[in-house]
Amino acid sequence: MGIILTDTPTRYGLVSVLMHWLIAMTYLGLFCIGWYMMTLDYYNPWYIALPHWHKSIGMLLLVVVLCLGVWRLTVKKPLNLENHLGWEVKSSRIAHWLLGLGVLIVLVSGYLIPTAEGSGISVFNWGTFPAAFSLPGQEDISGLVHRYVAYFILGLSFVHAGAALKHHFIDKDDTLRRMLSISINRNQS
Ligand code: HEM
Ligand code: HEM
């Protein structure tokens, strides 16, 4: 058995698998933090820390998502499985694009909220991402986009996960398995 780094025509490699699960888990974690921190009042001990973590982890996620974007544009992804029907292939392509684009919109709109007043975003006090620009209504509009696109992507990720589980448990095919396992037999491509 050997570990494959890059995608092959039949499998996802280590880079795609690690980035997929890192992004998926971080997205869900940030959603929970974002939703919970909005319920806190000024006197709660987490009032300052949680938004700081939310923004810090979010900016790190932005870097990972941009890396996955470059990876996806340069490395050919595996071919569709033969048992996938035409409508499944088309709808999964649309869903994957929407998920990728939606996560990016949530991240960029998140960045645009606190930077609207010109202040940069500190990442765990290691360093600061500077503010890019400040437009009229930026804070309110990006706040709305951030909230509703975050909810939409959460819903779509449930449909997406449901589809993966349906392929695994009902169709009993390799769809989920090839996004989970990173090793192959050496005589397999
Ligand atoms: C994909 C990653 C992210 C997810 C899933 C996410 C999710 C959320 C959610 C669900 C809320 C609560 C929205 C509400 O109920 O109004 C929120 C609020 C917020 N998020 Fe994020 N967020 C992400 C990334 C970021 C980033 C990168 C930043 C900034 C660097 C950021 C900054 C904020 C701010 C400032 C708020 C408070 C909004 C307000 O005061 O209206 N988020 N986020
Ligand atoms: C917020 C959460 C998630 C996001 C943003 C997300 C996003 C994506 C994207 C963009 C792809 C296309 C990958 C590529 O072309 O390289 C993909 C593929 C995949 N995802 Fe997710 N995903 C999430 C959660 C999940 C969960 C929870 C599961 C399983 C229960 C899952 C299972 C899969 C599988 C099996 C594939 C490969 C599909 C195929 O080969 O056609 N994902 N995901």
Side-chain angles (χ1 to χ4, degrees):
M1 297 286 267
I3 295 205
I4 44 164
L5 278 181
T6 185
D7 299 348
T8 73
T10 54
R11 310 297 300 257
Y12 283 102
L14 179 67
V15 176
S16 296
V17 171
L18 278 187
M19 280 208 260
H20 173 268
W21 292 109
L22 183 67
I23 294 170
M25 294 304 133
T26 313
Y27 185 89
L28 298 177
L30 281 178
F31 185 93
C32 296
I33 298 180
W35 176 79
Y36 180 63
M37 73 190 192
M38 298 303 285
T39 66
L40 302 178
D41 65 28
Y42 184 77
Y43 300 100
N44 191 294
W46 294 102
Y47 184 77
I48 304 286
L50 277 190
H52 177 63
W53 289 358
H54 183 81
K55 289 181 273 180
S56 299
I57 300 169
M59 292 313 289
L60 295 178
L61 183 64
L62 177 58
V63 175
V64 178
V65 166
L66 292 178
C67 290
L68 180 62
V70 173
W71 176 255
R72 211 45 311 150
L73 293 175
T74 46
V75 175
K76 225 168 170 312
K77 60 186 273 184
L79 301 171
N80 301 311
L81 291 176
E82 276 172 15
N83 68 305
H84 286 182
L85 305 171
W87 71 266
E88 290 180 318
V89 171
K90 279 194 203 115
S91 51
S92 70
R93 200 169 293 154
I94 296 171
H96 293 167
W97 266 100
L98 282 177
L99 284 167
L101 198 67
V103 171
L104 193 62
I105 292 175
V106 176
L107 289 163
V108 172
S109 60
Y111 163 81
L112 291 175
I113 304 169
T115 53
E117 302 296 324
S119 53
I121 295 176
S122 152
V123 174
F124 291 118
N125 302 321
W126 300 330
T128 301
F129 279 87
F133 44 75
S134 182
L135 300 170
Q138 180 175 323
E139 190 171 355
D140 293 342
I141 296 168
S142 30
L144 285 176
V145 171
H146 192 66
R147 173 191 287 183
Y148 290 111
V149 180
Y151 279 91
F152 174 73
I153 292 302
L154 182 75
L156 187 58
S157 75
F158 285 148
V159 176
H160 168 74
L165 294 175
K166 179 249 180 201
H167 278 287
H168 191 73
F169 290 109
I170 298 177
D171 302 341
K172 299 193 192 309
D173 67 22
D174 261 346
T175 311
L176 180 58
R177 223 169 282 127
R178 68 180 190 168
M179 191 41 108
L180 283 169
S181 75
I182 49 169
S183 59
I184 53 163
N185 289 319
R186 286 201 196 285
N187 56 1
Q188 217 180 300
S189 62

